[in-house]
Amino acid sequence: MVLFRSGRLMKRVFISGGAAGIGRATAEQFIKAGFDVGIGDVNELALRETAKSLGKACHPYVLDVCDPAAWARALEGFTGKDGRLDVLINNAGILYAGRAEAISFEQHSRLVDINIKGVIAGCQAALPYLKNVRHSRVINLCSASAIYGQPSIASYSASKFFVRGWTEALNIEWARYDIQVLSVWPIFVKTAMVDNAPEMKAVDKMGVSLSPADVAKVLLRLARQRRPAMHTPIGLQSSLFKRFANLMPDAITRRVVAHLADVDV
């Protein structure tokens, strides 16, 4: 089904992890901007509640991001007969905090499945639809933890290094399809994921200065910008840390990261 608003074709965005936090705030921002929005989430109850609160322009799909078949069903249902998608936002992700040896192998594996395999599955499922639109976008939620490996969230940080590399590689590969592949790099965002991780001592030292709406506004800007940057730090802390790490020797960056995480080295 082709949708129109005020005589113009509505653009479509699909957001994984769209039932809460950054995903929900992003859906709200894109709806206000006139997009038709699909949200996918494994939490069916929260998904339905979010869709109900955001109105008719929000379309919910139960989605386990680790399941390619679930991605295929969701995107086929959302894009309809014309099969076009303007923007994919890979937002779904989880975090386990604590020393690497204190987190079970099963938990590390689950994080890898969602944060890494979920991004791969989403991109592969969306490609046929993104190819139907000029100047389409993939925006991946990366993190300032991809600047330098972060103690207390080692597997989460490593998963974001993957997202960084995946973004850079596909930004080159998919240019031939006129698809721009981008990432955003927030630091700490006021979400349940951060609130429920007291082991992250850096939060206590640096504070949480970003809201989900702050991230959502940047995502909307990148979706609309003609020539967006491939990687976009969000917030002053993330921007300064990226610059610092680029300028300083690794040994100094290591000491700073260890100090912020309250780890003796």
Side-chain angles (χ1 to χ4, degrees):
M1 178 175 63
V2 180
L3 299 173
F4 293 86
R5 177 174 290 177
S6 302
R8 298 181 63 185
L9 187 67
M10 289 178 67
K11 290 187 174 183
R12 292 195 185 109
V13 58
F14 190 90
I15 306 161
S16 70
I22 293 171
R24 177 174 177 145
T26 301
E28 186 173 7
Q29 286 285 333
F30 274 79
I31 288 170
K32 288 179 179 177
F35 280 73
D36 196 40
V37 175
I39 58 172
D41 205 288
V42 74
N43 187 331
E44 186 171 0
L45 178 60
L47 187 68
R48 304 298 176 189
E49 290 176 349
T50 295
K52 183 179 179 180
S53 69
L54 295 182
K56 293 182 179 180
C58 184
H59 310 277
Y61 297 89
V62 177
L63 175 66
D64 175 355
V65 294
C66 306
D67 182 0
W71 271 107
R73 289 191 298 270
L75 292 176
E76 182 179 8
F78 177 55
T79 59
K81 291 182 179 179
D82 62 330
R84 43 169 291 277
L85 181 67
D86 297 88
V87 184
L88 169 68
I89 298 179
N90 281 309
N91 166 70
I94 63 170
L95 177 149
Y96 293 108
R99 289 188 174 271
E101 67 272 19
I103 297 169
S104 70
F105 176 80
E106 289 73 21
Q107 288 173 313
H108 285 301
S109 295
R110 181 168 181 261
L111 184 148
V112 167
D113 284 344
I114 294 171
N115 294 15
I116 295 180
K117 294 180 183 179
V119 172
I120 296 173
C123 287
Q124 289 187 327
L127 178 59
Y129 304 103
L130 294 165
K131 287 166 69 174
N132 291 333
V133 181
R134 292 186 63 198
H135 312 310
S136 56
R137 306 276 162 90
V138 176
I139 310 177
N140 298 318
L141 267 290
C142 194
S143 165
S145 66
I147 298 170
Y148 194 94
Q150 299 296 302
S152 301
I153 52 168
S155 54
Y156 177 84
S157 178
S159 75
K160 296 305 180 179
F161 273 89
F162 168 85
V163 172
R164 174 181 180 169
W166 177 259
T167 298
E168 291 168 357
L170 290 196
N171 183 273
I172 296 170
E173 285 190 24
W174 287 6
R176 59 180 172 171
Y177 303 130
D178 195 20
I179 300 170
Q180 292 182 304
V181 184
L182 317 171
S183 75
V184 294
W185 298 35
I187 194 159
F188 300 123
V189 183
K190 185 65 177 176
T191 63
M193 186 165 70
V194 171
D195 289 344
N196 295 330
E199 297 88 348
M200 290 197 298
K201 303 303 182 184
V203 173
D204 298 331
K205 293 187 177 181
M206 299 179 67
V208 180
S209 59
L210 292 174
S211 70
D214 293 327
V215 179
K217 289 174 184 176
V218 175
L219 291 170
L220 178 60
R221 173 169 58 82
L222 292 174
R224 291 168 144 181
Q225 227 170 15
R226 188 173 180 182
R227 291 189 179 92
M230 180 170 54
H231 297 310
T232 300
I234 300 180
L236 180 61
Q237 290 174 326
S238 183
S239 298
L240 291 176
F241 181 42
K242 191 171 188 296
R243 290 180 187 177
F244 175 85
N246 287 339
L247 292 171
M248 292 295 108
D250 280 352
I252 294 177
T253 303
R254 178 177 182 270
R255 285 189 173 275
V256 170
V257 169
H259 170 72
L260 291 172
D262 203 20
V263 176
D264 293 328
V265 292

